[in-house]
Amino acid sequence: QVQLVESGGGLVQAGGSLTLSCAASGTIIDISVMGWYRQAPGKERELVATITRVGSADYAGSVKGRFTISRDNAKNTVYLQMNSLKPEDTALYYCNADLISEGWGNSGDYWGQGTQVTVSS
């Protein structure tokens, strides 16, 4: 019943900016942590940033100072503002949420389908 849908990916030149959004829908009681991960071709999936319900954020060292994660609890939505983009930021970006839904079996980690970010040099 729960699903996450990302949006906002695209093609941008180095030094440019993009903002990603991810909205969770369905029967949701609470979302503890939301985050963004990315995976480039031939690479392992890596953590980009996470944020708690009260706004405490953690970032990968490679994006710290350039990316900002935020969330709107009323909308069950998490955002990733990406500035000063570099070619090495090119990847498929996935949204993640650790949430509680109705029924014990429906609670846990959920993932979006991914949105592509491509940064040209």
Side-chain angles (χ1 to χ4, degrees), residues 43-114:
K43 303 289 186 179
E44 298 292 327
R45 183 179 298 187
E46 64 175 348
L47 171 72
V48 177
T50 61
I51 185 168
T52 70
R53 73 183 76 181
V54 297
S56 180
D58 288 306
Y59 298 90
S62 59
V63 307
K64 192 176 302 181
R66 299 188 297 120
F67 291 10
T68 301
I69 188 170
S70 61
R71 62 188 283 178
D72 186 334
N73 293 331
K75 297 181 179 179
N76 289 326
T77 300
V78 63
Y79 307 92
L80 185 68
Q81 181 180 329
M82 304 182 292
N83 299 322
S84 301
L85 284 162
K86 304 174 181 179
E88 50 263 44
D89 294 319
T90 296
L92 189 63
Y93 283 70
Y94 294 93
C95 175
N96 170 263
D98 183 7
L99 58 83
I100 299 174
S101 182
E102 289 190 341
W104 290 105
N106 294 323
S107 298
D109 284 330
Y110 284 80
W111 294 87
Q113 80 287 349

